[in-house]
Amino acid sequence: MNRLRKLGVVAFVYVLLAGGSADPVETVTDTNVVTGLDFSHSVSLEEHWIVQEGLAQALLSPEILRAIQAGHHGRIGFALFGWHTTIMPLLPWMRIGSADDAELAVQRIRAAIIEQIATEATLRRAESRFGRPTDLSHALSSATAMLLAAPFRSRRSVINIIGNGPDNVNEDAQGARDAALALGFTINGVVLGHDPDVIAYFQQKVVGGPGSFVEHVPSPEGMAEVLRRKFINDIVIGFADGSEPEPDH
C-alpha cells in the first residue's frame, strides 16, 4: 500500500506539471498507452535511432490507424518517455484518432528523441568510465503514475517497456510491476536483442495483466514490424472482448 500511496502523490505531481487535462471536456479513449524507452548505456545511440524510426513507421502504418478507428471511441491516448536512473519526458499525453494525429505525434517524437540523443552523446563522453544503470523499477513506477494522471478516461491502460536488460539498481522490477497490476493496468515488453535470459526476466518480472506479452527484436531490420504488431495488440485487445463501450460525457 505504501507504493500505491506514493504513486498517487507522483501522479498528482504529473497533473500539476501538465497543467491539468488537455481538453475542457473529459475525453474517453479506448486505450491509454504509455511507452518507456531504455536510455541506459547498454543501449547504443545507434539503436535509439532505429527505435525512433521503428516507432514512426509503426504509428504511421495504415494497420495501426484502422485498429484505432475500429475501437468504440475511435481514439487512444498515447505518451512516451525515456529512462535510465531518471525519467526523460519525450511525448506528453496526446489523443490519436486520425492520420493527422499520428503524423503530429511522430513529428514530436522525432524532435524529442533527436534532442535527447544529442544530450546523451555529450553525457556519455563525460561519463564513459561509469555508464548509466538500468532502473527498470523506477520506469514502471513512473509509467504507472503517468497513467494515473492521464487527461483521458479509458477502460484499459497499458504500459510498454522497451529495453535490453534487467533492473540493476536497487529493488527489483517485480514490486513496481505488481503495484501497476493491482491498479488493473497491463504491462507489455519489447526486448532489444535475443538474449534468452533478458526475455525470461521480462516474462517473469516485468510484464503482466490481461493480454500481456513480450516481443523481442532479434535484428534492427525487424524493429518497425515488431512495434507495429505490438501496438496493434495493445489497441485491439482493449476492445476485443465484445464489451459495451462506455458513453462519452
PDB file of all heavy atoms in Angstrom, residues 58 61 64 213 215-216 222-235:
ATOM      1  N   ALA A  58       5.683   2.478 -37.282  1.00  0.00           N
ATOM      2  CA  ALA A  58       4.561   1.760 -36.684  1.00  0.00           C
ATOM      3  C   ALA A  58       3.353   2.672 -36.520  1.00  0.00           C
ATOM      4  O   ALA A  58       2.230   2.321 -36.910  1.00  0.00           O
ATOM      5  CB  ALA A  58       4.973   1.174 -35.337  1.00  0.00           C
ATOM      6  N   SER A  61       1.554   3.540 -39.783  1.00  0.00           N
ATOM      7  CA  SER A  61       1.080   2.453 -40.640  1.00  0.00           C
ATOM      8  C   SER A  61      -0.448   2.464 -40.734  1.00  0.00           C
ATOM      9  O   SER A  61      -1.141   2.758 -39.753  1.00  0.00           O
ATOM     10  CB  SER A  61       1.554   1.099 -40.100  1.00  0.00           C
ATOM     11  OG  SER A  61       0.880   0.783 -38.899  1.00  0.00           O
ATOM     12  N   ILE A  64      -2.301   0.389 -38.041  1.00  0.00           N
ATOM     13  CA  ILE A  64      -2.482   0.991 -36.727  1.00  0.00           C
ATOM     14  C   ILE A  64      -3.698   1.904 -36.734  1.00  0.00           C
ATOM     15  O   ILE A  64      -4.534   1.872 -35.820  1.00  0.00           O
ATOM     16  CB  ILE A  64      -1.231   1.784 -36.307  1.00  0.00           C
ATOM     17  CG1 ILE A  64      -0.043   0.850 -36.069  1.00  0.00           C
ATOM     18  CG2 ILE A  64      -1.521   2.620 -35.066  1.00  0.00           C
ATOM     19  CD1 ILE A  64      -0.166  -0.011 -34.835  1.00  0.00           C
ATOM     20  N   PHE A 213       2.136  -9.524 -23.025  1.00  0.00           N
ATOM     21  CA  PHE A 213       3.032 -10.307 -23.880  1.00  0.00           C
ATOM     22  C   PHE A 213       4.425  -9.682 -23.886  1.00  0.00           C
ATOM     23  O   PHE A 213       4.601  -8.527 -23.510  1.00  0.00           O
ATOM     24  CB  PHE A 213       2.496 -10.386 -25.312  1.00  0.00           C
ATOM     25  CG  PHE A 213       2.261  -9.043 -25.953  1.00  0.00           C
ATOM     26  CD1 PHE A 213       3.280  -8.383 -26.629  1.00  0.00           C
ATOM     27  CD2 PHE A 213       1.021  -8.433 -25.868  1.00  0.00           C
ATOM     28  CE1 PHE A 213       3.073  -7.142 -27.207  1.00  0.00           C
ATOM     29  CE2 PHE A 213       0.797  -7.186 -26.446  1.00  0.00           C
ATOM     30  CZ  PHE A 213       1.816  -6.536 -27.116  1.00  0.00           C
ATOM     31  N   GLU A 215       7.575  -9.221 -26.689  1.00  0.00           N
ATOM     32  CA  GLU A 215       8.126  -9.354 -28.035  1.00  0.00           C
ATOM     33  C   GLU A 215       9.629  -9.144 -27.930  1.00  0.00           C
ATOM     34  O   GLU A 215      10.120  -8.540 -26.965  1.00  0.00           O
ATOM     35  CB  GLU A 215       7.532  -8.304 -28.976  1.00  0.00           C
ATOM     36  CG  GLU A 215       6.056  -8.443 -29.250  1.00  0.00           C
ATOM     37  CD  GLU A 215       5.771  -9.258 -30.493  1.00  0.00           C
ATOM     38  OE1 GLU A 215       6.721  -9.891 -31.013  1.00  0.00           O
ATOM     39  OE2 GLU A 215       4.616  -9.255 -30.945  1.00  0.00           O
ATOM     40  N   HIS A 216      10.381  -9.633 -28.908  1.00  0.00           N
ATOM     41  CA  HIS A 216      11.798  -9.295 -28.950  1.00  0.00           C
ATOM     42  C   HIS A 216      12.196  -8.976 -30.378  1.00  0.00           C
ATOM     43  O   HIS A 216      11.583  -9.449 -31.330  1.00  0.00           O
ATOM     44  CB  HIS A 216      12.663 -10.411 -28.363  1.00  0.00           C
ATOM     45  CG  HIS A 216      12.817 -11.613 -29.234  1.00  0.00           C
ATOM     46  ND1 HIS A 216      11.849 -12.584 -29.353  1.00  0.00           N
ATOM     47  CD2 HIS A 216      13.842 -12.002 -30.029  1.00  0.00           C
ATOM     48  CE1 HIS A 216      12.268 -13.529 -30.181  1.00  0.00           C
ATOM     49  NE2 HIS A 216      13.467 -13.195 -30.612  1.00  0.00           N
ATOM     50  N   GLY A 222      13.976  -5.681 -38.045  1.00  0.00           N
ATOM     51  CA  GLY A 222      12.649  -6.107 -37.618  1.00  0.00           C
ATOM     52  C   GLY A 222      11.953  -5.148 -36.670  1.00  0.00           C
ATOM     53  O   GLY A 222      10.830  -5.418 -36.240  1.00  0.00           O
ATOM     54  N   MET A 223      12.596  -4.004 -36.341  1.00  0.00           N
ATOM     55  CA  MET A 223      12.057  -3.107 -35.327  1.00  0.00           C
ATOM     56  C   MET A 223      10.657  -2.595 -35.676  1.00  0.00           C
ATOM     57  O   MET A 223       9.728  -2.675 -34.874  1.00  0.00           O
ATOM     58  CB  MET A 223      12.996  -1.923 -35.130  1.00  0.00           C
ATOM     59  CG  MET A 223      12.513  -0.899 -34.115  1.00  0.00           C
ATOM     60  SD  MET A 223      12.441  -1.550 -32.439  1.00  0.00           S
ATOM     61  CE  MET A 223      14.205  -1.696 -32.101  1.00  0.00           C
ATOM     62  N   ALA A 224      10.489  -2.047 -36.876  1.00  0.00           N
ATOM     63  CA  ALA A 224       9.207  -1.444 -37.237  1.00  0.00           C
ATOM     64  C   ALA A 224       8.085  -2.475 -37.205  1.00  0.00           C
ATOM     65  O   ALA A 224       6.991  -2.203 -36.712  1.00  0.00           O
ATOM     66  CB  ALA A 224       9.298  -0.796 -38.620  1.00  0.00           C
ATOM     67  N   GLU A 225       8.355  -3.679 -37.721  1.00  0.00           N
ATOM     68  CA  GLU A 225       7.320  -4.710 -37.755  1.00  0.00           C
ATOM     69  C   GLU A 225       6.941  -5.159 -36.355  1.00  0.00           C
ATOM     70  O   GLU A 225       5.752  -5.339 -36.043  1.00  0.00           O
ATOM     71  CB  GLU A 225       7.796  -5.907 -38.585  1.00  0.00           C
ATOM     72  CG  GLU A 225       6.872  -7.119 -38.538  1.00  0.00           C
ATOM     73  CD  GLU A 225       5.460  -6.817 -38.995  1.00  0.00           C
ATOM     74  OE1 GLU A 225       5.256  -5.857 -39.768  1.00  0.00           O
ATOM     75  OE2 GLU A 225       4.536  -7.547 -38.556  1.00  0.00           O
ATOM     76  N   VAL A 226       7.933  -5.341 -35.481  1.00  0.00           N
ATOM     77  CA  VAL A 226       7.629  -5.757 -34.105  1.00  0.00           C
ATOM     78  C   VAL A 226       6.806  -4.689 -33.399  1.00  0.00           C
ATOM     79  O   VAL A 226       5.810  -5.000 -32.724  1.00  0.00           O
ATOM     80  CB  VAL A 226       8.932  -6.042 -33.324  1.00  0.00           C
ATOM     81  CG1 VAL A 226       8.644  -6.172 -31.830  1.00  0.00           C
ATOM     82  CG2 VAL A 226       9.581  -7.327 -33.829  1.00  0.00           C
ATOM     83  N   LEU A 227       7.178  -3.417 -33.533  1.00  0.00           N
ATOM     84  CA  LEU A 227       6.443  -2.347 -32.868  1.00  0.00           C
ATOM     85  C   LEU A 227       5.049  -2.180 -33.464  1.00  0.00           C
ATOM     86  O   LEU A 227       4.087  -1.916 -32.737  1.00  0.00           O
ATOM     87  CB  LEU A 227       7.223  -1.037 -32.959  1.00  0.00           C
ATOM     88  CG  LEU A 227       8.524  -1.002 -32.159  1.00  0.00           C
ATOM     89  CD1 LEU A 227       9.247   0.330 -32.360  1.00  0.00           C
ATOM     90  CD2 LEU A 227       8.268  -1.228 -30.678  1.00  0.00           C
ATOM     91  N   ARG A 228       4.933  -2.331 -34.770  1.00  0.00           N
ATOM     92  CA  ARG A 228       3.599  -2.259 -35.391  1.00  0.00           C
ATOM     93  C   ARG A 228       2.697  -3.355 -34.832  1.00  0.00           C
ATOM     94  O   ARG A 228       1.556  -3.103 -34.435  1.00  0.00           O
ATOM     95  CB  ARG A 228       3.723  -2.407 -36.919  1.00  0.00           C
ATOM     96  CG  ARG A 228       2.388  -2.250 -37.658  1.00  0.00           C
ATOM     97  CD  ARG A 228       2.521  -2.701 -39.102  1.00  0.00           C
ATOM     98  NE  ARG A 228       2.793  -4.140 -39.165  1.00  0.00           N
ATOM     99  CZ  ARG A 228       1.846  -5.071 -39.059  1.00  0.00           C
ATOM    100  NH1 ARG A 228       0.580  -4.740 -38.892  1.00  0.00           N
ATOM    101  NH2 ARG A 228       2.165  -6.341 -39.133  1.00  0.00           N
ATOM    102  N   ARG A 229       3.223  -4.576 -34.786  1.00  0.00           N
ATOM    103  CA  ARG A 229       2.439  -5.704 -34.266  1.00  0.00           C
ATOM    104  C   ARG A 229       2.093  -5.496 -32.795  1.00  0.00           C
ATOM    105  O   ARG A 229       0.983  -5.773 -32.348  1.00  0.00           O
ATOM    106  CB  ARG A 229       3.227  -6.994 -34.456  1.00  0.00           C
ATOM    107  CG  ARG A 229       2.450  -8.253 -34.071  1.00  0.00           C
ATOM    108  CD  ARG A 229       3.174  -9.498 -34.548  1.00  0.00           C
ATOM    109  NE  ARG A 229       4.469  -9.669 -33.919  1.00  0.00           N
ATOM    110  CZ  ARG A 229       5.637  -9.683 -34.591  1.00  0.00           C
ATOM    111  NH1 ARG A 229       5.654  -9.501 -35.902  1.00  0.00           N
ATOM    112  NH2 ARG A 229       6.783  -9.861 -33.938  1.00  0.00           N
ATOM    113  N   LYS A 230       3.061  -4.951 -32.036  1.00  0.00           N
ATOM    114  CA  LYS A 230       2.848  -4.726 -30.610  1.00  0.00           C
ATOM    115  C   LYS A 230       1.749  -3.701 -30.362  1.00  0.00           C
ATOM    116  O   LYS A 230       0.847  -3.913 -29.548  1.00  0.00           O
ATOM    117  CB  LYS A 230       4.140  -4.266 -29.953  1.00  0.00           C
ATOM    118  CG  LYS A 230       4.066  -4.144 -28.453  1.00  0.00           C
ATOM    119  CD  LYS A 230       5.190  -3.302 -27.914  1.00  0.00           C
ATOM    120  CE  LYS A 230       4.989  -1.853 -28.268  1.00  0.00           C
ATOM    121  NZ  LYS A 230       3.744  -1.304 -27.654  1.00  0.00           N
ATOM    122  N   PHE A 231       1.799  -2.560 -31.088  1.00  0.00           N
ATOM    123  CA  PHE A 231       0.794  -1.523 -30.876  1.00  0.00           C
ATOM    124  C   PHE A 231      -0.588  -1.989 -31.306  1.00  0.00           C
ATOM    125  O   PHE A 231      -1.594  -1.632 -30.687  1.00  0.00           O
ATOM    126  CB  PHE A 231       1.179  -0.238 -31.615  1.00  0.00           C
ATOM    127  CG  PHE A 231       2.285   0.535 -30.956  1.00  0.00           C
ATOM    128  CD1 PHE A 231       3.362   0.996 -31.680  1.00  0.00           C
ATOM    129  CD2 PHE A 231       2.251   0.792 -29.594  1.00  0.00           C
ATOM    130  CE1 PHE A 231       4.389   1.706 -31.073  1.00  0.00           C
ATOM    131  CE2 PHE A 231       3.277   1.496 -28.970  1.00  0.00           C
ATOM    132  CZ  PHE A 231       4.344   1.956 -29.719  1.00  0.00           C
ATOM    133  N   ILE A 232      -0.666  -2.780 -32.370  1.00  0.00           N
ATOM    134  CA  ILE A 232      -1.959  -3.319 -32.769  1.00  0.00           C
ATOM    135  C   ILE A 232      -2.525  -4.202 -31.658  1.00  0.00           C
ATOM    136  O   ILE A 232      -3.711  -4.120 -31.313  1.00  0.00           O
ATOM    137  CB  ILE A 232      -1.848  -4.104 -34.094  1.00  0.00           C
ATOM    138  CG1 ILE A 232      -1.649  -3.125 -35.260  1.00  0.00           C
ATOM    139  CG2 ILE A 232      -3.097  -4.958 -34.334  1.00  0.00           C
ATOM    140  CD1 ILE A 232      -1.432  -3.784 -36.595  1.00  0.00           C
ATOM    141  N   ASN A 233      -1.673  -5.041 -31.070  1.00  0.00           N
ATOM    142  CA  ASN A 233      -2.127  -5.869 -29.952  1.00  0.00           C
ATOM    143  C   ASN A 233      -2.572  -5.013 -28.772  1.00  0.00           C
ATOM    144  O   ASN A 233      -3.594  -5.287 -28.135  1.00  0.00           O
ATOM    145  CB  ASN A 233      -1.018  -6.828 -29.519  1.00  0.00           C
ATOM    146  CG  ASN A 233      -0.818  -7.976 -30.481  1.00  0.00           C
ATOM    147  OD1 ASN A 233      -1.731  -8.327 -31.220  1.00  0.00           O
ATOM    148  ND2 ASN A 233       0.364  -8.560 -30.493  1.00  0.00           N
ATOM    149  N   ASP A 234      -1.806  -3.971 -28.458  1.00  0.00           N
ATOM    150  CA  ASP A 234      -2.186  -3.056 -27.373  1.00  0.00           C
ATOM    151  C   ASP A 234      -3.587  -2.513 -27.594  1.00  0.00           C
ATOM    152  O   ASP A 234      -4.405  -2.430 -26.670  1.00  0.00           O
ATOM    153  CB  ASP A 234      -1.233  -1.862 -27.315  1.00  0.00           C
ATOM    154  CG  ASP A 234       0.159  -2.221 -26.829  1.00  0.00           C
ATOM    155  OD1 ASP A 234       0.314  -3.280 -26.192  1.00  0.00           O
ATOM    156  OD2 ASP A 234       1.087  -1.442 -27.091  1.00  0.00           O
ATOM    157  N   ILE A 235      -3.855  -2.106 -28.821  1.00  0.00           N
ATOM    158  CA  ILE A 235      -5.102  -1.426 -29.144  1.00  0.00           C
ATOM    159  C   ILE A 235      -6.263  -2.398 -29.263  1.00  0.00           C
ATOM    160  O   ILE A 235      -7.323  -2.210 -28.664  1.00  0.00           O
ATOM    161  CB  ILE A 235      -4.939  -0.622 -30.453  1.00  0.00           C
ATOM    162  CG1 ILE A 235      -3.889   0.485 -30.257  1.00  0.00           C
ATOM    163  CG2 ILE A 235      -6.266  -0.027 -30.900  1.00  0.00           C
ATOM    164  CD1 ILE A 235      -3.349   1.041 -31.557  1.00  0.00           C
TER     165      ILE A 235
END
